[in-house]
Amino acid sequence: MSKRYSAEFKRDAVELALSSDKTVTEVARDLGVSPESLRGWVKQAKIDRGQGPAGALTSDEREELRRLRRELAEAKKANEILVKAAAFFAKEIVK
């Protein structure tokens, strides 16, 4: 079962991990989260701050990509319906 953490908790955990002399694993243990989760949050926070590798997507860019993919899927479905409707009505006109 995976836990959901608030954005505020994640932000505070990242700040603690970055400002602490402890390792990410130690900070994660102190906070009761998995080290992998905290590492991921720290990595994304660095990307969002412009400190990530070239080409890495910021959180805002990731959200925009998700939104655009959803919109594209909806547009494809609508197009498919319109194509089928056009074919149906074309058959009706020919009759």
Side-chain angles (χ1 to χ4, degrees):
M1 182 176 97
S2 82
K3 293 183 180 179
R4 286 290 201 162
Y5 298 100
S6 70
E8 181 181 6
F9 177 84
K10 291 177 183 179
R11 186 187 67 241
D12 292 345
V14 166
E15 291 307 317
L16 182 60
L18 293 175
S19 65
S20 175
D21 291 336
K22 295 180 178 182
T23 66
V24 171
T25 302
E26 291 170 331
V27 172
R29 189 178 318 120
D30 292 347
L31 296 175
V33 300
S34 79
E36 293 79 19
S37 293
L38 185 54
R39 273 190 204 89
W41 301 342
V42 168
K43 179 181 177 182
Q44 189 61 50
K46 287 180 177 179
I47 291 169
D48 290 347
R49 295 173 183 177
Q51 301 169 346
L57 298 177
T58 65
S59 294
D60 289 340
E61 291 168 332
R62 285 176 180 270
E63 181 55 39
E64 181 181 17
L65 183 58
R66 271 192 287 277
R67 180 183 58 78
L68 291 172
R69 284 181 175 161
R70 265 192 315 271
E71 286 179 17
L72 178 60
E74 290 172 14
K76 283 182 177 181
K77 285 180 186 176
N79 189 50
E80 189 176 304
I81 291 168
L82 291 172
V83 166
K84 288 178 182 178
F88 172 79
F89 287 117
K91 286 180 187 176
E92 290 295 315
I93 292 172
V94 173
K95 285 184 179 178

